[in-house]
Amino acid sequence: MKATNFLVDSKEKFRIKDCPTTPDDKLSKEEGEKRTAGNIEEMINLQDVFYASQKYSLLLIFQALDAAGKDGTIKHVMSGLNPQGTEVHSFKQPSTEEISHDYLWRAHEKLPERGMIGIFNRSYYEDVLVVRVHNLLNNILYPDVIHNDDIWQKRFRQINDFEKYLHENGTIILKFFLNISKEEQARRFIKRIDDKSKNWKFSEGDIKEREHWDDYQKAFQETLAVTSTKTSPWYVIPADKKWYARLAVSEIIVNKLKELKLTYPQVSKEQLLKLQAYKKMLEDK
Ligand code: ATP
Ligand code: MG
């Protein structure tokens, strides 16, 4: 498995229907799980340096259709990390307060501080996905400038500008689209109905959204193509096999953290001498 295979790197050639939803290599589940465990182990050390160096923040964005495994992937991949250095934010239907601001407002204040890893479970991308598919802008009183034909193109540009701004200010961004097939989604919904402990996860809304499958694919297709950039790339993760999605996501995060070549802050000579003096004081007591 090569993580770069999942990168959306060509605006013109990208076709969501050509992206696999299942693994296309010979890796076994056991091998895959072993590799994921290794990645998680590595991530723990990398996060420690990331936090100590206080140089960058890392923003991980997860988008997907229902039951693609966002929650599980986030939970699993982040399982070993120091909770003090991570935060997860879920973006649901906006509140009255949120909707009375511009659409990036609620995301902006949830961005990770330097040294932190921030995870967005859904994000401002909902504003070019669900909002587009369901024409939700029509329900909102907006100034006239917002209601015109190229609203989505405008939003794509705004998102690209916003992410560029974040990058230029030290935020590293990785975006994951968990790509599930329509058949696998049906299987997972049925499981939620059959398994009593999973009944709570099933919502009528999920079935309604499924009817818009093709519209969502279309919206994702354009969104991913236009907003995947060098500094803020999208990865389309085959998500029909949960173990494989976890492996791919963990691999991409680890690679990125390694690429940064971060080191623990250097302590000055004077500071080192002071430390030795403190040690002596402590030992003398
Ligand atoms: P799960 O179902 O696994 O608990 P979820 O992310 O699907 O997780 P829900 O509470 O089921 O959470 O759904 C949140 C809903 O809010 C989604 O349908 C999403 O599309 C919607 N949503 C998020 N952002 C916006 C937005 N800006 N405008 C309108 N709807 C939004
Ligand atoms: Mg849901």
Side-chain angles (χ1 to χ4, degrees):
M1 195 211 53
K2 245 178 98 196
T4 46
N5 289 350
F6 308 129
L7 178 69
V8 179
D9 60 357
S10 163
K11 195 167 154 180
E12 289 75 29
K13 289 196 202 123
F14 174 69
R15 293 287 172 273
I16 204 160
K17 66 172 173 43
D18 297 336
C19 297
T21 59
T22 49
D24 59 358
D25 51 45
K26 293 195 181 68
L27 204 67
S28 71
K29 187 176 173 190
E30 275 93 23
E31 276 174 88
E33 284 177 342
K34 224 187 252 167
R35 246 167 92 175
T36 306
N39 286 340
I40 291 172
E41 198 62 37
E42 224 173 330
M43 224 190 286
I44 295 171
N45 297 325
L46 287 161
Q47 184 204 13
D48 205 50
V49 191
F50 189 82
Y51 185 78
S53 64
Q54 293 283 314
K55 224 172 163 179
Y56 302 105
S57 5
L58 177 62
L59 175 63
L60 308 172
I61 294 183
F62 288 86
Q63 287 288 158
L65 290 170
D66 292 302
K70 279 184 282 106
D71 292 10
T73 307
I74 292 169
K75 201 158 84 184
H76 196 86
V77 172
M78 298 298 138
S79 59
L81 296 185
N82 180 352
Q84 286 208 59
T86 42
E87 50 192 31
V88 183
H89 297 285
S90 297
F91 291 89
K92 312 247 174 192
Q93 274 157 4
S95 67
T96 324
E97 189 193 13
E98 286 168 347
I99 211 138
S100 65
H101 286 271
D102 67 275
Y103 68 97
L104 293 173
W105 179 79
R106 67 172 179 164
H108 205 152
E109 65 160 2
K110 297 285 190 281
L111 289 168
E113 301 159 33
R114 230 160 270 148
M116 296 286 285
I117 301 179
I119 297 154
F120 281 4
N121 184 345
R122 302 187 187 268
S123 64
Y124 44 86
Y125 279 99
E126 293 291 324
D127 291 278
V128 288
L129 295 164
V130 67
V131 174
R132 187 178 192 182
V133 167
H134 292 286
N135 254 318
L136 298 180
L137 284 183
N138 292 340
N139 307 334
I140 303 166
L141 283 176
Y142 269 138
D144 289 345
V145 283
I146 291 183
H147 284 291
N148 61 37
D149 294 344
D150 65 351
I151 172 75
W152 309 115
Q153 297 311 318
K154 237 187 221 167
R155 284 199 166 181
F156 291 144
R157 183 193 34 81
Q158 288 160 355
I159 288 175
N160 284 342
D161 287 348
F162 177 62
E163 291 179 346
K164 190 169 176 206
Y165 160 82
L166 295 180
H167 171 77
E168 287 172 352
N169 284 279
T171 300
I172 291 152
I173 309 174
L174 296 173
K175 301 179 290 196
F176 301 100
F177 170 62
L178 304 186
N179 190 24
I180 188 183
S181 66
K182 205 172 177 189
E183 297 72 35
E184 179 61 19
Q185 190 195 50
R187 273 193 290 275
R188 290 187 189 176
F189 282 162
I190 292 168
K191 233 187 192 164
R192 289 180 183 184
I193 295 168
D194 285 347
D195 181 344
K196 281 217 161 56
S197 72
K198 288 198 169 132
N199 279 177
W200 65 274
K201 272 192 159 188
F202 188 82
S203 86
E204 217 184 312
D206 291 350
I207 291 286
K208 290 223 173 81
E209 284 305 87
R210 186 174 157 82
E211 285 165 17
H212 297 278
W213 185 275
D214 292 341
D215 298 332
Y216 270 109
Q217 296 295 317
K218 231 172 108 190
F220 268 113
Q221 152 86 39
E222 191 177 359
T223 301
L224 303 187
V226 181
T227 61
S228 189
T229 61
K230 263 218 162 68
T231 50
S232 183
W234 273 108
Y235 293 89
V236 180
I237 307 294
D240 278 2
K241 297 272 177 258
K242 288 178 181 172
W243 65 267
Y244 193 80
R246 289 166 189 176
L247 170 62
V249 169
S250 66
E251 197 110 342
I252 291 164
I253 299 171
V254 164
N255 287 348
K256 187 73 208 178
L257 287 172
K258 274 196 203 150
E259 214 179 86
L260 299 175
K261 295 196 167 43
L262 291 174
T263 50
Y264 286 102
Q266 288 290 315
V267 177
S268 68
K269 257 192 189 151
E270 294 90 77
Q271 199 64 24
L272 278 176
L273 285 172
K274 265 192 195 164
L275 288 179
Q276 288 309 316
Y278 290 142
K279 187 176 169 194
K280 193 159 184 319
M281 267 166 64
L282 290 163
E283 284 169 348
D284 288 348
K285 281 221 164 146

